[in-house]
Amino acid sequence: EKGGYDYFMLKEIAEQPKAVADTLLGRIDGTGSLTLDEVRIAAGVLREVDKVVIVACGTAFHAGLIAKYAIEHWTRIPCEVELASEFRYRDPILDQQTLVIAISQSGETMDTLMALRHAREQGAHVLAICNTNGSTIPRESDAVLYTHAGPEVAVASTKAFLTQLVACYLVALYLGQVRGTQWADEIRAVVRDLASIAGAVERVLETMEPVRELARSLADKNTVLFLGRHVGYPVALEGALKLKELAYMHAEGFAAGELKHGPIALIEDDLPVVVVVPSPRGRSVLHDKIVSNIQEIRARGARTIVIAEEGDEAVVPYADHLIRIPVTPTLLQPLVATVPLQVFACELATARGNEVDQPRNLAKSVTVE
Ligand code: F6R
């Protein structure tokens, strides 16, 4: 049932192009418009929404952090993202004009369920993004957009994460479409780009052997740091989470701009630091700033592992290890940038003799608070 792979996690990483394509299937029509009939919240209600609040845990929370950039950019609706376990304890401000999006692979995570119950009690509309048909979270929501990742067996989430991102982009674009934002042309262009994104994920998977080799060479390290900016920041957080849960290593993700406010003190000789580099096109200011960050940490001895777009030559002099990803629009980059980090964590876990599919102390679905 592992389809020839040693672990479910490897199989699920390999299934990501299909999972992404399946999640898009039937949701974009021939003219490039989104047809999300499942989102049974009336267009009139969606037009009135004045705030989006995303609640989720763990990897799903990281998908939510990325969604915020897309939602605010394409819809200009303010969006908050909150850990479901924190949400209801601070008496959040919610009403009928709030759209709450609950993201959950299993659909059974108690923290997320309690958050959405609280939101509905306050009159908010709740949309679930979920991978499990008929599970509790979609049953208790006003509407559901299913991710079509197929069953995810490995405890560490991989293909579910990529499909959560796709679903979030679809919701963001759909909200933009319903509300007729100034970004209509960009939205159509992104919809076209989404259609080819499964192929880009496939290309990343074909080039992972050097990443596996690198991971094996780091098996006796104690700490790995991850840096990113913009949507690369949640990708860094996700890379660190995968490494914690699978390799049982100290791993932390930082926003690269925060380095000088503290974390740079951690840099010491030969410390591996993974840096997710934004595209040099588009938001090129961010790109140049992160290249300076790479220079800074390398001058202090860090071993730099750089994830950068094909054709980005500016990073070459400062990268001890360079991992190439295909050119994508800035907001979609997490779909390709996360994949090497999954492979990296999986291979490190194997090299350290850990149980990949069933990491210690963890359960696939956390049904207690
Ligand atoms: C990480 C992981 C967890 C889950 C989290 C939420 O690899 O699997 O962090 O993402 O427990 O689970 P769901 O999405 O089922 O609500």
Side-chain angles (χ1 to χ4, degrees), residues 47 74-75 173-184 187:
R47 274 194 283 272
W74 288 324
T75 72
L173 294 164
Y174 184 66
L175 278 174
Q177 179 178 298
V178 167
R179 297 163 67 96
T181 64
Q182 52 179 318
W183 304 111
I187 289 177

Side-chain angles (χ1 to χ4, degrees), residues 57-60 104-106 109 155-157 164 241-242 245:
C57 305
T59 288
S104 174
Q105 188 285 130
S106 63
T109 300
V155 166
S157 190
Q164 284 161 356
L241 177 61
K242 288 283 97 85
E245 62 184 331

Side-chain angles (χ1 to χ4, degrees), residues 27-275:
R27 289 170 169 169
I28 298 173
D29 72 15
T31 69
S33 292
L34 295 158
T35 48
L36 297 188
D37 298 336
E38 309 115 286
V39 179
R40 296 176 317 251
I41 300 176
V45 172
L46 292 178
R47 274 194 283 272
E48 294 298 308
V49 166
D50 64 4
K51 182 167 74 171
V52 176
V53 178
I54 301 178
V55 290
C57 305
T59 288
F61 172 70
H62 296 153
L65 290 176
I66 292 165
K68 173 185 166 81
Y69 290 83
I71 290 171
E72 291 193 339
H73 180 67
W74 288 324
T75 72
R76 306 311 293 160
I77 308 170
C79 175
E80 297 168 14
V81 192
E82 187 149 353
L83 290 168
S85 56
E86 290 292 325
F87 181 67
R88 70 196 168 107
Y89 298 103
R90 69 170 173 89
D91 196 10
I93 301 164
L94 304 160
D95 58 29
Q96 286 90 330
Q97 279 165 276
T98 313
L99 176 66
V100 171
I101 304 178
I103 309 176
S104 174
Q105 188 285 130
S106 63
E108 300 297 345
T109 300
M110 188 55 76
D111 287 313
T112 310
L113 179 61
M114 297 312 276
L116 86 81
R117 281 185 185 159
H118 181 78
R120 291 195 80 190
E121 278 162 19
Q122 312 300 308
H125 296 274
V126 178
L127 169 67
I129 290 180
C130 184
N131 196 46
T132 311
N133 267 323
S135 54
T136 311
I137 287 172
R139 274 208 319 270
E140 294 206 13
S141 299
D142 296 295
V144 53
L145 187 63
Y146 280 109
T147 50
H148 295 154
E152 192 179 61
V153 178
V155 166
S157 190
T158 54
K159 61 177 180 172
F161 177 69
L162 260 62
T163 61
Q164 284 161 356
L165 289 178
V166 169
C168 287
Y169 294 131
L170 289 173
V171 169
L173 294 164
Y174 184 66
L175 278 174
Q177 179 178 298
V178 167
R179 297 163 67 96
T181 64
Q182 52 179 318
W183 304 111
D185 287 343
E186 184 178 328
I187 289 177
R188 267 191 295 277
V190 171
V191 167
R192 272 198 306 277
D193 290 323
L194 266 176
S196 62
I197 204 77
V201 176
E202 185 76 61
R203 288 209 302 288
V204 177
L205 287 169
E206 284 160 5
T207 58
M208 285 298 96
E209 194 44 44
V211 174
R212 281 189 279 270
E213 219 170 278
L214 170 65
R216 288 193 291 273
S217 76
L218 299 175
D220 57 358
K221 292 285 182 190
N222 297 315
T223 298
V224 180
L225 301 184
F226 294 78
L227 300 177
R229 282 192 89 123
H230 194 259
V231 289
Y233 168 43
V235 172
L237 296 178
E238 174 62 6
L241 177 61
K242 288 283 97 85
L243 207 58
K244 285 176 195 136
E245 62 184 331
L246 291 159
Y248 318 150
M249 288 167 89
H250 171 223
E252 275 194 82
F254 298 110
E258 273 294 293
L259 261 183
K260 56 184 173 301
H261 301 292
I264 199 161
L266 291 168
I267 306 294
E268 57 185 17
D269 209 33
D270 213 33
L271 178 78
V273 184
V274 179
V275 189

Side-chain angles (χ1 to χ4, degrees), residues 6-22:
D6 290 345
Y7 308 109
F8 280 107
M9 185 176 174
L10 287 172
K11 173 171 176 271
E12 290 162 7
I13 287 173
E15 283 169 350
Q16 292 184 114
K18 181 173 187 307
V20 163
D22 287 350

